Amino acid sequence: MKKIFLACLFIGIVVLQVPAQKTQGLTWDIQFQKGKERVPVPNSQTITVESGQDFFIVISPASDCFCYVLSQNSERNIFLLHDQPVKGEMKIRLDPLKTDASPGTKTVYVIMSLAKQTKLEGFIKSYKSDLNSQRHANNLQGEIARLQEAASGLGEPASALIASGGTTRGENQESATRFSGKNIYVRTITIRTAPAVR
């Protein structure tokens, strides 16, 4: 009887640990940098960059995941910045203003997911095949909105400002924002381009 009890207890512990491991979620960092010195910019919903100024988004996941980054300008044109799987602890460095040099406000969507977003990838593939198709653009925008709603339904993501200290390979890594605990994130960043100060 004692052996049966111990066996049941062991099985119960194993069963309870498996879901706990699955719910750990994705951990990733994002940092915004501007200027030739790549000065870190505080993480906020709206970032102002001077016209002609360098601007970078640096994304660093802690584990293997899928990363999709798209930008939309004020004319509602969409630009694909990244749509590849990412190995853990690999840095992705993007320059959204270089991809789209048009003036005005841009919205950048950063979608991080533990699972491959097959539907989104299908819409991206269709959009790439015909960049002038309004139908493909609308389908892609609709899927981004659906993912935003699904991710926000999981509650506000846990985030923390972290100090990573010093400079790594020419990149100023003084601070970044870390997200953790969910399986999918959709972060929206607004970038405003202001006239250069003389």
Coordinates of all heavy atoms in Angstrom, one line a residue, residues 62-153:
A62 N 15.5 35.5 -24.8 CA 16.3 34.7 -23.9 C 16.3 33.2 -24.4 O 17.1 32.4 -24.0 CB 15.8 34.7 -22.5
S63 N 15.3 32.9 -25.2 CA 15.2 31.5 -25.8 C 14.7 31.6 -27.2 O 14.3 32.6 -27.7 CB 14.2 30.7 -24.9 OG 12.9 31.3 -24.9
D64 N 14.7 30.4 -27.9 CA 14.3 30.3 -29.3 C 12.8 30.8 -29.4 O 12.0 30.4 -28.5 CB 14.4 28.9 -29.8 CG 15.9 28.4 -29.9 OD1 16.8 29.2 -29.5 OD2 16.1 27.3 -30.3
C65 N 12.5 31.6 -30.4 CA 11.2 32.1 -30.5 C 11.0 32.6 -32.0 O 11.9 32.4 -32.8 CB 10.9 33.2 -29.5 SG 11.9 34.7 -29.7
F66 N 9.9 33.2 -32.2 CA 9.6 33.8 -33.5 C 9.4 35.3 -33.3 O 8.7 35.7 -32.4 CB 8.3 33.1 -34.1 CG 8.5 31.7 -34.4 CD1 8.3 30.7 -33.5 CD2 8.9 31.3 -35.7 CE1 8.5 29.4 -33.7 CE2 9.1 29.9 -36.0 CZ 8.9 29.0 -35.0
C67 N 10.0 36.0 -34.2 CA 9.9 37.5 -34.1 C 9.4 38.1 -35.5 O 10.0 37.7 -36.5 CB 11.3 38.0 -33.8 SG 11.5 39.8 -33.8
Y68 N 8.4 38.9 -35.4 CA 7.9 39.6 -36.5 C 7.8 41.1 -36.2 O 7.3 41.5 -35.2 CB 6.4 39.1 -36.8 CG 6.3 37.6 -36.8 CD1 6.0 36.9 -35.7 CD2 6.5 36.9 -38.0 CE1 5.9 35.5 -35.7 CE2 6.3 35.5 -38.1 CZ 6.0 34.8 -36.9 OH 5.9 33.5 -36.9
V69 N 8.4 41.9 -37.1 CA 8.4 43.3 -36.8 C 8.0 44.0 -38.1 O 8.6 43.8 -39.2 CB 9.8 43.9 -36.4 CG1 9.8 45.4 -36.1 CG2 10.4 43.1 -35.2
L70 N 6.9 44.8 -38.0 CA 6.4 45.5 -39.2 C 6.2 47.0 -38.8 O 6.0 47.3 -37.7 CB 5.0 44.9 -39.6 CG 5.0 43.4 -39.9 CD1 4.6 42.6 -38.8 CD2 4.2 43.2 -41.1
S71 N 6.3 47.8 -39.8 CA 6.2 49.2 -39.7 C 5.1 49.7 -40.6 O 5.0 49.3 -41.7 CB 7.5 49.9 -40.0 OG 7.4 51.3 -40.0
Q72 N 4.3 50.7 -40.1 CA 3.3 51.3 -41.0 C 3.4 52.8 -40.9 O 3.5 53.4 -39.8 CB 1.9 50.9 -40.5 CG 0.8 51.4 -41.4 CD -0.6 50.9 -40.9 OE1 -0.8 50.8 -39.7 NE2 -1.4 50.5 -41.8
N73 N 3.5 53.5 -42.1 CA 3.7 54.9 -42.0 C 2.3 55.7 -42.0 O 1.3 55.0 -42.0 CB 4.6 55.4 -43.2 CG 4.0 55.2 -44.6 OD1 2.8 55.0 -44.7 ND2 4.9 55.2 -45.5
S74 N 2.4 57.0 -42.0 CA 1.1 57.8 -42.0 C 0.3 57.6 -43.2 O -0.9 57.9 -43.2 CB 1.5 59.2 -41.7 OG 2.4 59.7 -42.7
E75 N 0.8 57.1 -44.3 CA 0.1 56.8 -45.5 C -0.5 55.4 -45.5 O -1.0 55.0 -46.5 CB 0.9 57.1 -46.7 CG 1.4 58.5 -46.9 CD 2.5 58.7 -47.8 OE1 3.0 57.7 -48.4 OE2 2.9 59.9 -48.1
R76 N -0.3 54.7 -44.4 CA -0.8 53.3 -44.2 C -0.1 52.3 -45.0 O -0.6 51.2 -45.3 CB -2.3 53.2 -44.4 CG -3.1 54.1 -43.4 CD -4.6 54.0 -43.4 NE -5.0 52.6 -43.2 CZ -5.2 52.0 -42.0 NH1 -4.8 52.5 -40.9 NH2 -5.7 50.7 -42.0
N77 N 1.1 52.7 -45.5 CA 2.0 51.7 -46.2 C 2.7 50.8 -45.2 O 3.1 51.3 -44.1 CB 3.0 52.4 -47.1 CG 2.4 53.2 -48.2 OD1 1.4 52.7 -48.8 ND2 2.9 54.3 -48.5
I78 N 2.8 49.5 -45.5 CA 3.4 48.6 -44.5 C 4.8 48.2 -45.0 O 5.0 48.0 -46.2 CB 2.5 47.3 -44.3 CG1 1.2 47.7 -43.7 CG2 3.2 46.3 -43.5 CD1 0.2 46.6 -43.7
F79 N 5.7 48.1 -44.1 CA 7.1 47.7 -44.4 C 7.5 46.6 -43.4 O 7.3 46.7 -42.2 CB 8.1 48.9 -44.2 CG 7.8 50.0 -45.1 CD1 6.9 51.0 -44.7 CD2 8.4 50.1 -46.3 CE1 6.6 52.0 -45.6 CE2 8.1 51.1 -47.2 CZ 7.2 52.1 -46.8
L80 N 7.9 45.5 -44.0 CA 8.3 44.3 -43.2 C 9.8 44.5 -42.8 O 10.7 44.6 -43.6 CB 8.2 43.0 -44.1 CG 8.5 41.7 -43.4 CD1 7.5 41.5 -42.2 CD2 8.4 40.6 -44.4
L81 N 10.1 44.5 -41.5 CA 11.4 44.6 -41.0 C 12.1 43.3 -40.6 O 13.3 43.2 -40.6 CB 11.4 45.6 -39.8 CG 10.8 47.0 -40.1 CD1 10.7 47.8 -38.8 CD2 11.5 47.7 -41.1
H82 N 11.2 42.4 -40.1 CA 11.8 41.1 -39.7 C 10.7 40.1 -39.6 O 9.6 40.4 -39.1 CB 12.5 41.2 -38.3 CG 13.3 40.0 -37.9 ND1 12.8 38.9 -37.3 CD2 14.6 39.8 -38.1 CE1 13.8 38.0 -37.1 NE2 14.9 38.6 -37.6
D83 N 10.9 38.9 -40.1 CA 9.9 37.8 -40.0 C 10.5 36.4 -40.0 O 10.2 35.5 -40.7 CB 8.9 37.9 -41.1 CG 9.5 37.6 -42.5 OD1 10.7 37.7 -42.7 OD2 8.7 37.2 -43.4
Q84 N 11.5 36.2 -39.1 CA 12.3 35.0 -39.0 C 12.3 34.4 -37.6 O 12.1 35.2 -36.6 CB 13.7 35.3 -39.4 CG 13.9 35.8 -40.8 CD 13.5 34.9 -41.9 OE1 13.8 33.7 -41.7 NE2 12.8 35.3 -42.9
P85 N 12.5 33.1 -37.5 CA 12.7 32.5 -36.1 C 14.0 33.1 -35.6 O 14.9 33.5 -36.4 CB 12.9 31.0 -36.4 CG 12.5 30.8 -37.8 CD 12.5 32.1 -38.5
V86 N 14.1 33.2 -34.3 CA 15.3 33.7 -33.6 C 15.8 32.7 -32.6 O 15.1 32.2 -31.8 CB 15.0 35.1 -32.9 CG1 16.2 35.7 -32.3 CG2 14.3 36.0 -33.9
K87 N 17.1 32.5 -32.6 CA 17.8 31.7 -31.6 C 17.9 32.5 -30.3 O 18.1 33.7 -30.3 CB 19.2 31.3 -32.1 CG 19.1 30.3 -33.3 CD 18.7 29.0 -32.8 CE 18.8 28.0 -34.0 NZ 18.1 26.7 -33.6
G88 N 17.8 31.8 -29.2 CA 17.9 32.5 -27.9 C 19.2 33.2 -27.7 O 20.2 32.7 -28.2
E89 N 19.1 34.4 -27.1 CA 20.3 35.2 -26.8 C 20.9 35.8 -28.1 O 22.0 36.4 -28.0 CB 21.3 34.5 -25.9 CG 20.6 34.1 -24.6 CD 21.6 33.5 -23.6 OE1 22.8 33.7 -23.8 OE2 21.2 32.9 -22.7
M90 N 20.2 35.7 -29.2 CA 20.7 36.4 -30.4 C 20.1 37.8 -30.5 O 19.0 38.0 -30.1 CB 20.2 35.6 -31.7 CG 20.6 36.2 -33.0 SD 19.9 35.1 -34.3 CE 19.4 36.4 -35.4
K91 N 20.9 38.8 -30.9 CA 20.4 40.2 -31.0 C 19.9 40.5 -32.4 O 20.6 40.1 -33.3 CB 21.5 41.2 -30.6 CG 21.8 41.2 -29.1 CD 22.7 42.4 -28.9 CE 23.3 42.4 -27.5 NZ 22.4 42.2 -26.5
I92 N 18.7 41.1 -32.4 CA 18.2 41.6 -33.7 C 18.3 43.1 -33.7 O 17.8 43.7 -32.7 CB 16.7 41.2 -33.9 CG1 16.6 39.7 -33.8 CG2 16.2 41.7 -35.2 CD1 15.1 39.3 -33.6
R93 N 19.0 43.7 -34.6 CA 19.1 45.1 -34.7 C 18.5 45.7 -35.9 O 18.8 45.3 -37.0 CB 20.6 45.5 -34.6 CG 20.9 46.9 -34.3 CD 22.4 47.1 -34.0 NE 22.8 48.4 -34.3 CZ 23.4 48.7 -35.5 NH1 23.5 47.8 -36.4 NH2 23.7 50.0 -35.7
L94 N 17.4 46.5 -35.8 CA 16.7 47.0 -36.9 C 16.7 48.5 -36.9 O 16.7 49.2 -35.9 CB 15.2 46.6 -36.7 CG 15.0 45.0 -36.5 CD1 13.5 44.8 -36.1 CD2 15.3 44.3 -37.8
D95 N 16.6 49.1 -38.1 CA 16.6 50.5 -38.3 C 15.3 50.8 -39.1 O 15.3 50.8 -40.4 CB 17.8 51.0 -39.1 CG 17.9 52.5 -39.2 OD1 16.9 53.2 -38.9 OD2 18.9 53.0 -39.7
P96 N 14.2 51.0 -38.4 CA 12.9 51.2 -39.1 C 12.8 52.5 -40.0 O 12.1 52.5 -40.9 CB 11.9 51.2 -38.0 CG 12.6 51.6 -36.8 CD 14.0 51.1 -37.0
L97 N 13.6 53.5 -39.6 CA 13.6 54.7 -40.4 C 14.4 54.6 -41.7 O 14.1 55.3 -42.7 CB 14.1 55.9 -39.5 CG 13.4 56.2 -38.2 CD1 14.0 57.4 -37.5 CD2 11.9 56.4 -38.5
K98 N 15.3 53.7 -41.7 CA 16.1 53.5 -43.0 C 15.2 52.8 -44.0 O 15.3 53.0 -45.2 CB 17.3 52.7 -42.7 CG 18.3 52.7 -43.8 CD 19.6 52.0 -43.3 CE 20.7 52.4 -44.3 NZ 22.0 51.9 -43.9
T99 N 14.3 51.9 -43.5 CA 13.4 51.2 -44.4 C 12.4 52.1 -45.0 O 12.0 51.9 -46.2 CB 12.7 50.0 -43.6 OG1 13.7 49.2 -43.0 CG2 11.9 49.2 -44.5
D100 N 11.9 53.0 -44.2 CA 10.9 54.0 -44.7 C 11.3 55.4 -44.4 O 11.2 55.8 -43.2 CB 9.6 53.6 -44.0 CG 8.5 54.6 -44.4 OD1 8.6 55.4 -45.4 OD2 7.5 54.7 -43.6
A101 N 11.8 56.1 -45.4 CA 12.3 57.5 -45.1 C 11.3 58.5 -45.3 O 11.6 59.7 -45.2 CB 13.5 57.7 -46.1
S102 N 10.0 58.1 -45.4 CA 8.9 59.1 -45.6 C 8.8 59.9 -44.3 O 9.0 59.4 -43.2 CB 7.6 58.4 -45.9 OG 7.2 57.7 -44.8
P103 N 8.4 61.2 -44.4 CA 8.2 62.0 -43.2 C 6.9 61.6 -42.4 O 6.1 60.8 -42.9 CB 8.0 63.4 -43.8 CG 7.5 63.2 -45.1 CD 8.1 61.9 -45.6
G104 N 6.8 62.1 -41.2 CA 5.6 61.8 -40.4 C 5.7 60.7 -39.4 O 6.8 60.2 -39.2
T105 N 4.6 60.3 -38.9 CA 4.6 59.3 -37.8 C 4.6 57.9 -38.4 O 3.9 57.6 -39.3 CB 3.3 59.6 -36.9 OG1 3.4 60.9 -36.4 CG2 3.3 58.6 -35.8
K106 N 5.3 57.1 -37.7 CA 5.3 55.6 -38.1 C 4.9 54.8 -36.8 O 5.2 55.2 -35.7 CB 6.7 55.2 -38.5 CG 7.1 55.8 -39.8 CD 8.6 55.9 -40.0 CE 9.1 56.6 -41.2 NZ 8.4 57.9 -41.4
T107 N 4.2 53.7 -37.1 CA 3.9 52.8 -36.0 C 4.6 51.5 -36.3 O 4.5 50.9 -37.4 CB 2.3 52.5 -36.0 OG1 1.7 53.8 -35.9 CG2 2.0 51.6 -34.9
V108 N 5.3 51.0 -35.3 CA 6.1 49.8 -35.4 C 5.4 48.8 -34.5 O 5.1 49.0 -33.3 CB 7.6 50.0 -34.9 CG1 8.3 48.7 -35.0 CG2 8.3 51.0 -35.8
Y109 N 5.2 47.6 -35.1 CA 4.6 46.5 -34.3 C 5.6 45.4 -34.1 O 6.2 44.9 -35.1 CB 3.4 45.9 -35.1 CG 2.3 46.9 -35.4 CD1 2.2 47.5 -36.6 CD2 1.3 47.1 -34.5 CE1 1.2 48.4 -36.9 CE2 0.3 48.1 -34.7 CZ 0.3 48.7 -36.0 OH -0.7 49.6 -36.2
V110 N 5.9 45.1 -32.9 CA 6.9 44.0 -32.6 C 6.1 42.8 -32.0 O 5.4 43.0 -31.0 CB 7.9 44.5 -31.5 CG1 8.9 43.3 -31.2 CG2 8.7 45.7 -32.0
I111 N 6.1 41.7 -32.7 CA 5.3 40.5 -32.3 C 6.3 39.5 -32.0 O 7.1 39.0 -32.8 CB 4.4 40.1 -33.4 CG1 3.4 41.2 -33.8 CG2 3.6 38.8 -33.0 CD1 2.7 41.0 -35.1
M112 N 6.4 39.1 -30.7 CA 7.2 38.0 -30.2 C 6.4 36.8 -29.8 O 5.4 37.0 -29.1 CB 8.1 38.5 -29.0 CG 9.0 39.7 -29.3 SD 10.3 39.3 -30.5 CE 11.3 38.3 -29.5
S113 N 6.7 35.6 -30.2 CA 5.9 34.5 -29.9 C 6.7 33.2 -29.7 O 7.7 33.0 -30.5 CB 4.9 34.3 -31.0 OG 4.1 33.1 -30.8
L114 N 6.3 32.4 -28.8 CA 7.0 31.1 -28.6 C 6.6 30.2 -29.8 O 7.4 29.3 -30.2 CB 6.6 30.4 -27.3 CG 7.3 30.9 -26.1 CD1 6.8 30.3 -24.8 CD2 8.8 30.7 -26.2
A115 N 5.4 30.3 -30.3 CA 4.9 29.5 -31.4 C 4.9 30.2 -32.7 O 4.8 31.5 -32.7 CB 3.4 29.1 -31.1
K116 N 5.1 29.5 -33.8 CA 5.1 30.1 -35.1 C 3.7 30.6 -35.4 O 2.7 29.9 -35.1 CB 5.5 29.0 -36.1 CG 5.5 29.5 -37.5 CD 6.0 28.3 -38.4 CE 6.1 28.8 -39.8 NZ 6.7 27.8 -40.7
Q117 N 3.6 31.8 -35.9 CA 2.3 32.4 -36.2 C 2.0 32.2 -37.7 O 2.2 33.0 -38.6 CB 2.3 33.9 -35.9 CG 2.5 34.2 -34.4 CD 1.3 33.6 -33.6 OE1 0.2 33.7 -33.9 NE2 1.7 33.0 -32.5
T118 N 1.5 31.0 -38.0 CA 1.3 30.5 -39.3 C 0.4 31.4 -40.1 O 0.6 31.7 -41.3 CB 0.7 29.1 -39.3 OG1 1.5 28.3 -38.5 CG2 0.7 28.5 -40.7
K119 N -0.7 31.9 -39.5 CA -1.7 32.7 -40.3 C -1.0 34.1 -40.6 O -1.1 34.6 -41.7 CB -2.9 33.0 -39.4 CG -4.1 33.4 -40.2 CD -5.4 33.4 -39.3 CE -6.6 33.9 -40.0 NZ -7.8 33.9 -39.2
L120 N -0.3 34.7 -39.7 CA 0.4 35.9 -39.9 C 1.4 35.7 -41.0 O 1.6 36.5 -41.9 CB 1.1 36.4 -38.6 CG 1.9 37.7 -38.8 CD1 1.1 38.9 -39.1 CD2 2.7 37.9 -37.5
E121 N 2.2 34.6 -41.0 CA 3.2 34.4 -42.0 C 2.6 34.2 -43.4 O 3.1 34.6 -44.4 CB 4.0 33.1 -41.6 CG 5.0 33.4 -40.5 CD 6.0 32.3 -40.2 OE1 6.0 31.3 -41.1 OE2 6.6 32.3 -39.2
G122 N 1.4 33.6 -43.4 CA 0.6 33.5 -44.7 C 0.3 34.8 -45.3 O 0.4 35.1 -46.5
F123 N -0.2 35.7 -44.4 CA -0.6 37.1 -44.8 C 0.7 37.9 -45.3 O 0.6 38.7 -46.2 CB -1.3 37.8 -43.8 CG -2.8 37.3 -43.6 CD1 -3.2 37.0 -42.3 CD2 -3.6 37.2 -44.7 CE1 -4.5 36.6 -42.2 CE2 -4.9 36.7 -44.5 CZ -5.4 36.4 -43.3
I124 N 1.8 37.7 -44.5 CA 3.1 38.3 -44.9 C 3.5 37.9 -46.3 O 3.9 38.7 -47.1 CB 4.1 38.1 -43.8 CG1 3.8 38.9 -42.6 CG2 5.5 38.4 -44.4 CD1 4.7 38.5 -41.4
K125 N 3.4 36.6 -46.5 CA 3.8 36.0 -47.8 C 3.0 36.6 -48.9 O 3.5 37.0 -50.0 CB 3.7 34.5 -47.8 CG 4.3 33.8 -49.0 CD 4.2 32.3 -48.8 CE 4.7 31.6 -50.1 NZ 4.6 30.2 -50.0
S126 N 1.7 36.6 -48.7 CA 0.8 37.2 -49.7 C 1.1 38.7 -50.0 O 1.1 39.1 -51.1 CB -0.7 37.1 -49.3 OG -1.1 35.7 -49.2
Y127 N 1.4 39.4 -48.9 CA 1.7 40.8 -49.0 C 3.0 41.0 -49.8 O 3.1 41.9 -50.7 CB 1.7 41.5 -47.7 CG 2.0 43.0 -47.7 CD1 1.1 43.9 -48.2 CD2 3.2 43.5 -47.3 CE1 1.3 45.2 -48.3 CE2 3.5 44.9 -47.4 CZ 2.5 45.7 -47.9 OH 2.8 47.1 -48.0
K128 N 4.0 40.2 -49.5 CA 5.3 40.3 -50.2 C 5.1 40.0 -51.7 O 5.9 40.6 -52.5 CB 6.3 39.3 -49.6 CG 6.9 39.7 -48.3 CD 7.8 38.5 -48.0 CE 8.8 38.7 -46.9 NZ 9.6 37.6 -46.5
S129 N 4.2 39.2 -52.0 CA 4.0 38.8 -53.5 C 3.4 40.0 -54.3 O 3.6 40.0 -55.5 CB 3.1 37.6 -53.6 OG 1.8 37.9 -53.3
D130 N 2.7 40.9 -53.6 CA 2.1 42.0 -54.3 C 2.0 43.2 -53.3 O 0.9 43.4 -52.7 CB 0.7 41.7 -54.9 CG 0.1 42.8 -55.7 OD1 0.7 43.9 -55.9 OD2 -1.0 42.6 -56.2
L131 N 3.0 44.0 -53.2 CA 3.1 45.1 -52.2 C 2.0 46.2 -52.5 O 1.7 47.0 -51.6 CB 4.5 45.7 -52.2 CG 5.6 44.8 -51.7 CD1 7.0 45.5 -51.9 CD2 5.4 44.3 -50.3
N132 N 1.5 46.2 -53.7 CA 0.5 47.2 -54.0 C -0.9 46.8 -53.8 O -1.9 47.6 -54.0 CB 0.7 47.7 -55.5 CG 2.0 48.3 -55.7 OD1 2.5 49.1 -54.9 ND2 2.7 48.0 -56.8
S133 N -1.1 45.6 -53.4 CA -2.5 45.0 -53.2 C -3.0 45.6 -51.8 O -2.5 45.2 -50.8 CB -2.4 43.5 -53.1 OG -3.7 43.0 -52.7
Q134 N -4.1 46.3 -51.9 CA -4.7 46.9 -50.7 C -5.4 45.7 -49.9 O -5.4 45.8 -48.7 CB -5.8 47.9 -51.1 CG -6.3 48.7 -49.9 CD -5.1 49.4 -49.1 OE1 -4.3 50.1 -49.7 NE2 -5.1 49.2 -47.8
R135 N -5.9 44.7 -50.7 CA -6.5 43.6 -50.0 C -5.5 42.8 -49.1 O -5.8 42.5 -47.9 CB -7.1 42.6 -51.0 CG -7.8 41.4 -50.4 CD -8.5 40.6 -51.5 NE -7.6 40.0 -52.5 CZ -7.0 38.9 -52.4 NH1 -7.2 38.1 -51.3 NH2 -6.2 38.5 -53.4
H136 N -4.3 42.6 -49.6 CA -3.3 41.9 -48.9 C -2.8 42.8 -47.7 O -2.6 42.2 -46.6 CB -2.0 41.6 -49.7 CG -2.3 40.5 -50.8 ND1 -3.1 39.5 -50.6 CD2 -1.8 40.4 -52.0 CE1 -3.2 38.7 -51.7 NE2 -2.4 39.3 -52.6
A137 N -2.7 44.1 -47.9 CA -2.4 45.0 -46.8 C -3.4 45.0 -45.7 O -3.1 44.9 -44.5 CB -2.2 46.4 -47.3
N138 N -4.7 45.0 -46.1 CA -5.8 45.0 -45.1 C -5.8 43.7 -44.4 O -6.1 43.7 -43.1 CB -7.2 45.2 -45.8 CG -7.3 46.6 -46.3 OD1 -6.6 47.5 -45.9 ND2 -8.2 46.8 -47.3
N139 N -5.6 42.5 -45.0 CA -5.5 41.2 -44.4 C -4.4 41.2 -43.3 O -4.6 40.7 -42.2 CB -5.3 40.1 -45.4 CG -6.6 39.8 -46.2 OD1 -7.7 40.2 -45.8 ND2 -6.4 39.2 -47.3
L140 N -3.3 41.8 -43.7 CA -2.1 41.8 -42.8 C -2.4 42.7 -41.6 O -2.2 42.3 -40.4 CB -0.9 42.3 -43.5 CG 0.4 42.3 -42.8 CD1 0.7 40.9 -42.2 CD2 1.6 42.6 -43.8
Q141 N -3.0 43.9 -41.8 CA -3.4 44.8 -40.7 C -4.4 44.1 -39.8 O -4.4 44.2 -38.6 CB -4.0 46.1 -41.3 CG -2.9 46.9 -41.9 CD -3.5 48.0 -42.8 OE1 -4.7 48.1 -43.0 NE2 -2.7 49.0 -43.2
G142 N -5.4 43.4 -40.4 CA -6.4 42.7 -39.6 C -5.8 41.6 -38.7 O -6.2 41.4 -37.6
E143 N -4.8 40.9 -39.2 CA -4.2 39.8 -38.4 C -3.4 40.4 -37.3 O -3.4 39.9 -36.2 CB -3.3 38.9 -39.3 CG -2.7 37.8 -38.6 CD -3.6 36.8 -37.9 OE1 -4.8 36.8 -38.2 OE2 -3.1 36.0 -37.1
I144 N -2.7 41.5 -37.6 CA -2.0 42.2 -36.5 C -2.9 42.6 -35.4 O -2.7 42.4 -34.2 CB -1.2 43.4 -37.0 CG1 0.0 42.9 -37.9 CG2 -0.6 44.2 -35.9 CD1 0.6 44.0 -38.7
A145 N -4.1 43.2 -35.8 CA -5.1 43.6 -34.8 C -5.6 42.4 -34.0 O -5.8 42.5 -32.8 CB -6.2 44.4 -35.5
R146 N -5.8 41.3 -34.7 CA -6.3 40.1 -34.0 C -5.3 39.6 -33.0 O -5.7 39.3 -31.9 CB -6.6 39.0 -35.0 CG -7.3 37.8 -34.4 CD -7.4 36.6 -35.4 NE -6.1 36.0 -35.6 CZ -5.4 35.2 -34.7 NH1 -6.0 35.0 -33.5 NH2 -4.2 34.7 -34.9
L147 N -4.0 39.6 -33.4 CA -3.0 39.2 -32.4 C -2.9 40.1 -31.3 O -2.7 39.7 -30.1 CB -1.7 39.1 -33.2 CG -1.5 37.9 -34.1 CD1 -0.2 38.0 -34.9 CD2 -1.6 36.6 -33.4
Q148 N -3.0 41.5 -31.5 CA -3.0 42.4 -30.4 C -4.1 42.1 -29.4 O -3.9 42.2 -28.2 CB -3.2 43.9 -31.0 CG -2.0 44.5 -31.5 CD -2.3 45.9 -32.0 OE1 -3.1 46.1 -32.8 NE2 -1.5 46.9 -31.5
E149 N -5.3 41.9 -30.0 CA -6.4 41.6 -29.1 C -6.2 40.3 -28.3 O -6.5 40.2 -27.1 CB -7.7 41.5 -29.9 CG -9.0 41.4 -29.1 CD -10.2 41.4 -30.0 OE1 -10.3 42.2 -31.0 OE2 -11.1 40.6 -29.7
A150 N -5.7 39.3 -28.9 CA -5.4 38.0 -28.3 C -4.4 38.2 -27.2 O -4.5 37.7 -26.1 CB -5.0 36.9 -29.3
A151 N -3.3 38.9 -27.5 CA -2.2 39.1 -26.5 C -2.7 40.0 -25.3 O -2.4 39.7 -24.2 CB -1.0 39.8 -27.2
S152 N -3.5 41.0 -25.6 CA -4.0 41.9 -24.6 C -5.0 41.2 -23.7 O -5.2 41.5 -22.5 CB -4.6 43.2 -25.1 OG -5.8 42.9 -25.8
G153 N -5.7 40.2 -24.3 CA -6.6 39.4 -23.5 C -5.9 38.5 -22.4 O -6.6 38.1 -21.5

